[in-house]
């Protein structure tokens, strides 16, 4: 590339110098330049081919090395895998051996413990046997004393078992009876408490009823006093009513007497005293109505007297004396009526 550049510079210089030469010279110069450029290209092609061949050989060498490296890597990986599998197998075998050893040690410890327990049990059995020898001797001595009643020691033991069961049954019955007695005692205590509570409640009810009875007795006395006072007031009113009725009757009798003296009498004068002023409430009501009617009659008589007096005074002034006499009688009658009503 540098040669081409140098040649291009030279060509540019020649071009500057050939501008003043003939065309044939310039053509020859161009051919020469083309030949030089072609030679330079051929040189570069050879150089490129040589380098390409070197690169190809180098690439093949690298490929071979790469293949060798891959093969060695595969072998190394295979070696590592084999070592890993061997290691795992060794670890597993070691773990299995460790577990087996631990199991054996645990089994040895268990067997030792069982052996120790068996020894202790054997010693306990021997000790118990030594302790029960005296019972055997005692049983033998007892059997020798009751040999006539029991043929064998087993019969004596059976009798003992029977008595033992009977004693157990009696003890159980005794406990059951105690439990029943305790339950009955509790029931009696509860019943006693309930009775006491009932008595207390009844006592409270009696006290409340007594208080209510006293209140009702006081109410009855108060009502009795009210009734007595009302009866007394009713008696006074009846007495006053009787006095009023008698006054009205007396007044009516006096009017009737004066009318009879003058030659006139009332139509109801015959039955004015038919009933007594004392009797039942119905009779008193009847007497009161009759007294009111009698007062109405007295009022009518007085009105008639006034009209008669006015007629006589207007008809005959000469009979002034007689009219004054009648007026005096009427005035006296009215004054008597007023006094009687006021009394």
């Amino acid at each position: 590339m540098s040669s081409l550049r140098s040649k291009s510079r030279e060509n540019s210089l020649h071009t500057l110098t050939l501008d003043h030469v003939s065309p044939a010279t310039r053509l020859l110069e161009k051919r020469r330049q083309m030949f030089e450029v072609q030679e330079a290209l051929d040189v570069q092609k050879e150089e490129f081919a040589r380098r390409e061949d070197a690169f190809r050989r180098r690439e093949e060498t690298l490929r071979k090395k790469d293949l060798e490296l891959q093969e060695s890597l595969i072998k190394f990986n295979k070696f590592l895998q084999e070592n890993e599998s061997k290691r795992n197998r060794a670890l597993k075998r070691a773990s299995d051996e460790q577990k087996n050893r631990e199991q054996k040690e645990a089994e040895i410890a268990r067997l030792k413990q069982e052996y120790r327990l068996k020894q202790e049990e054997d010693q306990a059995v021997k000790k118990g046997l030594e302790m029960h020898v005296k019972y055997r001797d005692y049983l033998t001595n007892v059997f020798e004393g009751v040999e006539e009643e029991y043929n064998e020691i087993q019969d004596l033991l059976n009798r003992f078992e029977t008595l033992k069961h009977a004693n157990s049954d009696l003890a159980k019955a005794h406990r059951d009876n105690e439990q029943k007695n305790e339950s009955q005692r509790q029931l009696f205590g509860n019943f006693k408490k309930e009775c006491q509570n009932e008595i207390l409640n009844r006592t409270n009810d009696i006290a409340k009823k007594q208080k209510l009875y006293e209140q009702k007795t006081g109410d009855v006395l108060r009502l009795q006093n009210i009734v007595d006072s009302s009866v007394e007031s009713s008696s006074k009113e009846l007495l006053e009513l009787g006095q009023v009725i008698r006054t009205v009757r007396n007044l009516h009798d006096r009017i009737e007497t004066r009318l009879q003296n003058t030659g006139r009498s009332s139509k109801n004068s015959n039955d004015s005293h038919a009933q007594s002023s004392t009797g039942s409430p119905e009779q008193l009501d009847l007497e009161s109505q009759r007294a009111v009617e009698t007062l109405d009659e007295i009022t009518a008589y007085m009105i008639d007297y006034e009209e008669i007096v006015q007629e006589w005074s207007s008809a005959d002034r000469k009979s002034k004396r007689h009219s004054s006499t009648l007026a005096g009688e009427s005035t006296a009658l009215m004054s008597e009526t007023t006094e009687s009503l006021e009394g």
Side-chain angles (χ1 to χ4, degrees):
M1 293 295 290
S2 60
S3 61
L4 287 174
R5 290 175 182 174
S6 62
K7 288 180 179 181
S8 63
R9 290 193 192 98
E10 291 176 356
N11 290 329
S12 63
L13 293 174
H14 286 293
T15 301
L16 292 174
T17 57
L18 291 176
D19 289 336
H20 302 286
V21 296
S22 62
T25 304
R26 286 198 295 269
L27 179 61
L28 291 173
E29 185 64 25
K30 292 291 184 182
R31 287 181 178 178
R32 187 183 63 79
Q33 290 178 358
M34 288 178 62
F35 181 75
E36 290 177 355
V37 170
Q38 185 66 35
E39 287 181 353
L41 287 174
D42 292 336
V43 172
Q44 288 181 357
K45 286 181 180 179
E46 291 177 357
E47 183 68 22
F48 181 76
R50 187 173 62 255
R51 289 182 178 180
E52 185 178 5
D53 186 45
F55 287 148
R56 188 181 296 108
R57 287 195 300 271
R58 187 176 179 182
E59 183 180 3
E60 290 178 357
T61 303
L62 292 174
R63 187 180 293 111
K64 289 180 181 179
K65 289 182 179 180
D66 186 27
L67 291 174
E68 291 176 357
L69 182 62
Q70 289 180 0
E71 289 178 357
S72 62
L73 182 62
I74 291 170
K75 291 180 180 179
F76 183 72
N77 287 331
K78 186 176 181 181
F79 174 74
L80 289 177
Q81 290 177 358
E82 290 178 355
N83 288 336
E84 184 68 21
S85 62
K86 290 179 181 179
R87 178 177 173 275
N88 291 331
R89 286 195 299 272
L91 291 175
K92 184 177 180 182
R93 186 167 54 254
S95 177
D96 294 338
E97 291 178 355
Q98 180 69 21
K99 290 181 180 179
N100 191 11
R101 184 177 66 81
E102 291 177 354
Q103 290 178 358
K104 295 298 182 182
E105 289 178 354
E107 186 176 0
I108 290 169
R110 181 178 60 79
L111 292 174
K112 286 182 179 180
Q113 182 69 19
E114 289 180 357
Y115 177 72
R116 185 176 60 81
L117 293 175
K118 292 295 183 181
Q119 285 182 344
E120 292 178 356
E121 185 178 356
D122 184 59
Q123 291 178 1
V125 170
K126 289 180 179 180
K127 187 176 180 180
L129 182 61
E130 292 176 357
M131 291 176 62
H132 287 82
V133 169
K134 57 183 179 181
Y135 298 110
R136 185 191 62 184
D137 297 337
Y138 174 75
L139 183 61
T140 302
N141 294 328
V142 171
F143 180 72
E144 290 177 356
V146 293
E147 189 174 1
E148 296 178 357
E149 297 179 3
Y150 301 99
N151 297 325
E152 295 180 359
I153 296 177
Q154 188 62 37
D155 296 335
L156 182 61
L157 294 175
N158 293 333
R159 179 61 178 170
F160 173 75
E161 291 294 332
T162 303
L163 294 175
K164 182 178 179 181
H165 289 305
N167 186 19
S168 177
D169 294 336
L170 291 174
K172 183 178 179 181
H174 179 68
R175 288 193 298 270
D176 294 338
N177 291 327
E178 286 183 350
Q179 291 178 357
K180 290 180 180 179
N181 188 16
E182 184 65 24
S183 62
Q184 293 296 327
R185 188 181 294 108
Q186 290 179 358
L187 291 174
F188 176 73
N190 294 329
F191 178 73
K192 187 176 180 180
K193 289 181 181 179
E194 291 178 358
C195 291
Q196 290 177 355
N197 293 329
E198 185 68 21
I199 291 170
L200 183 60
N201 293 329
R202 295 297 182 183
T203 304
N204 293 330
D205 292 337
I206 290 171
K208 291 179 181 179
K209 297 294 183 182
Q210 184 66 30
K211 186 176 180 180
L212 182 62
Y213 173 74
E214 292 176 356
Q215 291 178 356
K216 295 298 182 182
T217 303
D219 294 338
V220 169
L221 293 175
R222 182 173 55 80
L223 293 174
Q224 186 66 35
N225 293 329
I226 293 171
V227 170
D228 293 339
S229 61
S230 63
V231 169
E232 185 178 357
S233 62
S234 298
S235 299
K236 290 181 180 180
E237 291 176 356
L238 289 174
L239 181 60
E240 292 177 356
L241 181 60
Q243 291 177 357
V244 170
I245 291 172
R246 285 194 298 272
T247 302
V248 171
R249 284 180 179 177
N250 292 330
L251 183 59
H252 187 269
D253 292 339
R254 294 177 66 180
I255 291 172
E256 287 293 330
T257 302
R258 290 181 179 275
L259 290 175
Q260 288 176 2
N261 291 331
T262 58
R264 295 188 299 272
S265 63
S266 176
K267 294 180 181 180
N268 297 327
S269 60
N270 294 326
D271 56 352
S272 62
H273 300 287
Q275 298 292 334
S276 175
S277 62
T278 59
S280 63
E282 291 81 4
Q283 293 177 353
L284 291 175
D285 291 337
L286 183 60
E287 290 294 330
S288 299
Q289 292 177 1
R290 288 180 178 178
V292 172
E293 293 175 357
T294 303
L295 288 174
D296 292 337
E297 291 178 1
I298 292 170
T299 303
Y301 291 155
M302 292 177 68
I303 292 170
D304 291 340
Y305 269 115
E306 288 181 357
E307 290 178 355
I308 291 170
V309 169
Q310 290 177 0
E311 288 177 359
W312 283 5
S313 60
S314 62
D316 190 4
R317 294 183 179 275
K318 292 181 180 181
S319 59
K320 186 182 293 183
R321 185 176 182 181
H322 183 69
S323 297
S324 61
T325 302
L326 292 175
E329 291 179 357
S330 177
T331 302
L333 182 60
M334 290 178 66
S335 63
E336 289 178 359
T337 302
T338 303
E339 290 176 357
S340 298
L341 291 174
E342 289 178 355

